[in-house]
Amino acid sequence: MTVPKEMPEKWARTQAPPSWSRKKPSWGTEEERRARANDREYNEKFQYASNCIKTSKYNILTFLPVNLFEQFQEVANTYFLFLLILQLIPQISSLSWFTTIVPLVLVLTITAVKDATDDYFRHKSDNQVNNRQSQVLINGILQQEQWMNVCVGDIIKLENNQFVAADLLLLSSSEPHGLCYIETAELDGETNMKVRQAIPVTSELGDINKLAKFDGEVICEPPNNKLDKFSGTLYWKENKFPLSNQNMLLRGCVLRNTEWCFGLVIFAGPDTKLMQNSGRTKFKRTSIDRLMNTLVLWIFGFLICMGVILAIGNAIWEHEVGTRFQVYLPWDEAVDSAFFSGFLSFWSYIIILNTVVPISLYVSVEVIRLGHSYFINWDKKMFCMKKRTPAEARTTTLNEELGQVEYIFSDKTGTLTQNIMFFNKCSINGRSYGDVFDVLGHKAELGERPESVDFSFNPLADKKFLFWDPSLLEAVKIGDPHTHEFFRLLSLCHTVMSEEKNEGELYYKAQSPDEGALVTAARNFGFVFRSRTPKTITVHEMGTAITYQLLAILDFNNTRKRMSVIVRNPEGKIRLYCKGADTILLDRLHHSTQELLNTTMDHLNEYAGEGLRTLVLAYKDLDEEYYEEWAERRLQASLAQDSREDRLASIYEEVENNMMLLGATAIEDKLQQGVPETIALLTLANIKIWVLTGDKQETAVNIGYSCKMLTDDMTEVFIVTGRTVLEVREELRKAREKMMDSSRSVGNGFTYQEKLSSSKLTSVLEAVAGEYALVINGHSLAHALEADMELEFLETACACKAVICCRVTPLQKAQVVELVKKYKKAVTLAIGDGANDVSMIKTAHIGVGISGQEGIQAVLASDYSFSQFKFLQRLLLVHGRWSYLRMCKFLCYFFYKNFAFTMVHFWFGFFCGFSAQTVYDQYFITLYNIVYTSLPVLAMGVFDQDVPEQRSMEYPKLYEPGQLNLLFNKREFFICIAQGIYTSVLMFFIPYGVFADATRDDGTQLADYQSFAVTVATSLVIVVSVQIGLDTGYWTAINHFFIWGSLAVYFAILFAMHSNGLFDMFPNQFRFVGNAQNTLAQPTVWLTIVLTTVVCIMPVVAFRFLRLNLKPDLSDTVRYTQLVRKKQKAQHRCMRRVGRTGSRRSGYAFSHQEGFGELIMSGKNMRLSSLALSSFTTRSSSSWIESLRRKKSDSASSPNGGADKPLKG
């Protein structure tokens, strides 16, 4: 059979959180689950959830009301609805209702269509999953049932390659001993097969008649989200049998290599562990979003102030002047005083001036973000050909924040390294194997090594396995007992599954690359793991098949950091084999191995110094009597209903003691391609990189040197290994003192004071001279993260160029990220590839998942994903920087054009008796933001660039303005508003002044309301179009088409609205026939428009010209150097065409700069052009960025900087 082409259930994590149609137990929270086989009547008493799932939010009847209710939860939508209601009141509104309802309905419709489309796919996937067929045993007969009709307590038959319908207790299977194989890719992303086993008492229930009579009852834990744990007990035939996760098949798994199996439904629908893990992901907002919300509130306040000013003006005007003209301008019936007239005028002006915050702003922002996300998805340079994996933007809300990252928190294994393991070296009985020496006794490097060891003696050897030290194979062949026991342990102590497709063709399915590498090494050296059953392991030892009785597996977990097996060999001898982390195992060895331990420790330190991953191997002989007694206690602990895990851990701890040391293994995990270059480039962009890894300190430090995080040129690398609070505090204090002493020695003028305030200390430390790195162990980090020491740790770490945290737990990873988020006003990014990185990825502002060897759990939890670490530089320096630049330019221009448009009404109010009369035609007001000016600004927001992508990568200093938030902040906002107000003043008063005395060609007065409106509107559209032309840094055909097309559309609509045709059809709506043609036919009008445009635009052009010449920023300099290069290339081509044959003079002296030789010798991997540019722009660009950075840091350390968060800033 083939796997059905169905949508897998991982959608449950990425779609909306489920709203289950679940019946709650009458007694409230479920404390334990009881399920009796083949007894629906009994199980229905507990009212457990059905197996039907519902992730959709709407149906045909509820869609419209529920969706509208959700949309009006947005403040902006509610605000515009309020304005629409005001416009329906004749006494208030001077505008037609459609000026607001058209954009509002447009926005609501677009959002509703998007929501409806999303929900349609949810309905479709729900129906697809709920209607899958399953074979259910009902009244002794197997019947086809839809998944939604499966109930707790039902017995289900699964066949090969079928999805598991619910969380099942495995009862029996077609394989011997009740084994079955599953793939858990939808649960944890791991594609390798895992084995599950029925308990012996039910494994014989393969016959339907026997299963129909099965009436066992399971009492177990209530529904929870722990994928790797299950605790329960089966009661049957007056006996009880312990149940664990090894007996469970979870929903979302696929049955593999197993013809059939039967299972008892324990959890269904929303109670299954897959659905329990599909909770809502925390919604992340960007700093620009938060700033925009603040600015919008300020604009609302400004709008109210303008309304109050104009309302007061109206009341005064009506009292002083309007009362005298009651005969000509009578008040409305409801108006009985000048004060009430002013009150109504306030609401009228709120309606007219509301376009300072147009509803189209929010739609435009989402469209731009969607465009940026597609650019990331379509980027061929971030596509991995080897894995056929593209980059993916899994969210559209964080793109511009990619251009503001200051801290990157990275996992090591699988993120910086490949997570493809190679057995490299080992230590056996005090002798190290793996190094190759030349004739002079010097260690041979990889390129100088002879051919690899020949394993042709072994027909079952893996031909891909390479090893260079022949002495190890010789030790195996001569029968060295320690070497044989070493590889025997590797061939027995594991959870690898073996598959033999053809005779002699073995395929290993390992749960981790480390385990696969170790078993493969044992296979090549003559100890071939061949097969396993629940109770036996068969190994071919030097060609002889030997079957060991498997008595117990003491499995690995993150707390134990070791695994053991207890086996009985053919002679009846019982032995425990154990492998694990050196920090754990060395404390559990017998005292007689001390001398061997010292030698092995030297080897371990040597291996770790080379960046290799190490494990220690040990064994222990057990006598029969002790084992029987221990096994009985283990059985009792496994039957316990409470604290089962703790009791088992205690039992395991007891037997894993006083072991005999065998040796150690060293596995190589190679760096991914491009990691050193990426880290060097990101460091030049002033991004600090912290590595958080579970590996031991020596391995992590060596990888740090390999990937150029740590260099020999660093002033000092601080290593914190204290095991007590006092030791850690002292080591951190000494590190700070050394940094301060270094600063004093170079004349910075700082003096260290123990009682210096933490905020001041931070600013001083971050300005220290020299480059430092901090390496801290997991047990030390646990103390450093305590409330009374976290600030000291953060101060020290943030002053360092690189930070490496070793032996850290997943929780500690998240705590470190949270600490930086809490005290530093900086954007954080976490990147990882495994399930242990999920908490860190979710905690950071931006989470990036690597689709690597450890499954896809990190990808499912991430905001962005790709397959290699090197793509991070392109994600940040190209896509992130461009997204930030585009969004900032979009917002600046958007606020500018709307203030220029709206403020004209404010000035006109002083000349129309504050009557809330509009300057523009109401159709122009409606179309201005959704037709005339929407597309050009969208094109700029989606396509604009300041420099090409190659220059963004070559000059990483270009990234710094985003970190400092320079392109859009409160200052830039007020500049845009000031420019908009300035434009509105000129836009109103220049035509007003001209029209006061101007005449037409025939000598009649030019000034009339409609002619003035057409002139101002035309000036406005032309001015904002020219302005966006100036703002656009990268012209495409789309930009040209949208900008000039919008102008053409404006004139087309303008002439159409004043045409005879529309007047004939709608005489009450389009009364001013021929006004546009008559007005724009006057030379005076065009001169006025040109004058207005020039006066509005020239100051902007002059300011930008002066800034470009006097104080250019880095992007200006890069563009200039690019133009110079193009010019030089053109001249060079011309010279070649002339065909000079004179001497070829070297251009070396003109293009080379001092310092590059030292750079290369230092080992720092920098782009030369980056360094050249930074030195070229020292006076202009770097200085102002550094001064701003110092100013930012000083503001954080000011006395008013907040005692609560002294490190903020």
CSV table of all heavy atoms in Angstrom, one decimal, residues 318 322-323 325-333 335:
chain,number,residue,atom,x,y,z
A,318,GLU,N,-20.5,82.6,14.7
A,318,GLU,CA,-21.9,82.7,14.7
A,318,GLU,C,-22.5,83.7,15.6
A,318,GLU,O,-23.5,84.4,15.4
A,318,GLU,CB,-22.5,81.3,15.0
A,318,GLU,CG,-22.3,80.2,14.0
A,318,GLU,CD,-23.1,80.4,12.7
A,318,GLU,OE1,-23.9,81.4,12.7
A,318,GLU,OE2,-23.0,79.6,11.8
A,322,GLY,N,-22.6,85.6,12.4
A,322,GLY,CA,-23.7,84.8,11.8
A,322,GLY,C,-25.1,85.3,12.2
A,322,GLY,O,-26.0,85.2,11.5
A,323,THR,N,-25.2,85.8,13.5
A,323,THR,CA,-26.5,86.3,13.9
A,323,THR,C,-27.1,87.4,13.1
A,323,THR,O,-28.3,87.6,13.0
A,323,THR,CB,-26.5,86.7,15.4
A,323,THR,OG1,-25.4,87.6,15.6
A,323,THR,CG2,-26.2,85.5,16.3
A,325,PHE,N,-26.9,87.6,9.9
A,325,PHE,CA,-27.3,87.2,8.5
A,325,PHE,C,-28.3,86.0,8.6
A,325,PHE,O,-28.3,85.2,7.8
A,325,PHE,CB,-26.0,86.7,7.8
A,325,PHE,CG,-25.0,87.7,7.5
A,325,PHE,CD1,-24.0,88.0,8.4
A,325,PHE,CD2,-25.1,88.5,6.3
A,325,PHE,CE1,-23.1,89.0,8.1
A,325,PHE,CE2,-24.2,89.5,6.1
A,325,PHE,CZ,-23.2,89.8,6.9
A,326,GLN,N,-29.1,86.0,9.7
A,326,GLN,CA,-30.1,85.0,9.9
A,326,GLN,C,-31.0,84.9,8.7
A,326,GLN,O,-31.5,83.8,8.3
A,326,GLN,CB,-30.9,85.2,11.2
A,326,GLN,CG,-30.1,84.8,12.4
A,326,GLN,CD,-29.8,83.4,12.6
A,326,GLN,OE1,-30.7,82.6,12.4
A,326,GLN,NE2,-28.6,83.0,12.9
A,327,VAL,N,-31.3,86.0,8.1
A,327,VAL,CA,-32.2,86.1,6.9
A,327,VAL,C,-31.7,85.3,5.7
A,327,VAL,O,-32.3,84.5,5.1
A,327,VAL,CB,-32.6,87.5,6.5
A,327,VAL,CG1,-33.5,87.5,5.3
A,327,VAL,CG2,-33.2,88.3,7.7
A,328,TYR,N,-30.3,85.5,5.5
A,328,TYR,CA,-29.7,84.8,4.4
A,328,TYR,C,-29.1,83.4,4.7
A,328,TYR,O,-29.2,82.5,3.9
A,328,TYR,CB,-28.6,85.7,3.9
A,328,TYR,CG,-29.0,87.1,3.5
A,328,TYR,CD1,-28.7,88.2,4.4
A,328,TYR,CD2,-29.7,87.4,2.4
A,328,TYR,CE1,-29.2,89.5,4.1
A,328,TYR,CE2,-30.2,88.6,2.1
A,328,TYR,CZ,-29.9,89.7,2.9
A,328,TYR,OH,-30.3,90.9,2.6
A,329,LEU,N,-28.6,83.3,5.9
A,329,LEU,CA,-28.0,82.0,6.4
A,329,LEU,C,-28.7,81.6,7.7
A,329,LEU,O,-28.1,81.7,8.8
A,329,LEU,CB,-26.5,82.2,6.6
A,329,LEU,CG,-25.6,82.5,5.4
A,329,LEU,CD1,-24.2,82.8,5.8
A,329,LEU,CD2,-25.6,81.3,4.4
A,330,PRO,N,-29.9,81.1,7.6
A,330,PRO,CA,-30.6,80.7,8.8
A,330,PRO,C,-30.0,79.5,9.4
A,330,PRO,O,-29.5,78.6,8.7
A,330,PRO,CB,-32.0,80.5,8.3
A,330,PRO,CG,-31.9,80.1,6.9
A,330,PRO,CD,-30.8,80.9,6.4
A,331,TRP,N,-30.1,79.4,10.7
A,331,TRP,CA,-29.6,78.2,11.4
A,331,TRP,C,-30.6,77.1,11.2
A,331,TRP,O,-31.8,77.3,10.9
A,331,TRP,CB,-29.5,78.4,12.9
A,331,TRP,CG,-28.4,79.3,13.3
A,331,TRP,CD1,-27.3,79.7,12.6
A,331,TRP,CD2,-28.2,80.0,14.6
A,331,TRP,NE1,-26.5,80.5,13.2
A,331,TRP,CE2,-27.0,80.7,14.5
A,331,TRP,CE3,-29.0,80.1,15.8
A,331,TRP,CZ2,-26.5,81.5,15.6
A,331,TRP,CZ3,-28.5,80.9,16.8
A,331,TRP,CH2,-27.3,81.6,16.7
A,332,ASP,N,-30.1,75.8,11.3
A,332,ASP,CA,-31.0,74.7,11.2
A,332,ASP,C,-32.0,74.7,12.4
A,332,ASP,O,-31.8,75.4,13.4
A,332,ASP,CB,-30.2,73.4,11.3
A,332,ASP,CG,-29.3,73.2,10.1
A,332,ASP,OD1,-29.7,73.7,9.0
A,332,ASP,OD2,-28.3,72.5,10.2
A,333,GLU,N,-33.1,74.0,12.2
A,333,GLU,CA,-34.2,74.0,13.2
A,333,GLU,C,-33.7,73.6,14.6
A,333,GLU,O,-34.1,74.1,15.6
A,333,GLU,CB,-35.3,73.1,12.7
A,333,GLU,CG,-36.0,73.6,11.5
A,333,GLU,CD,-37.2,72.6,11.1
A,333,GLU,OE1,-37.4,71.7,11.9
A,333,GLU,OE2,-37.7,72.8,10.0
A,335,VAL,N,-30.8,74.0,15.8
A,335,VAL,CA,-29.8,74.9,16.4
A,335,VAL,C,-30.4,76.1,17.0
A,335,VAL,O,-31.1,76.9,16.3
A,335,VAL,CB,-28.8,75.3,15.3
A,335,VAL,CG1,-27.7,76.3,15.9
A,335,VAL,CG2,-28.1,74.1,14.7
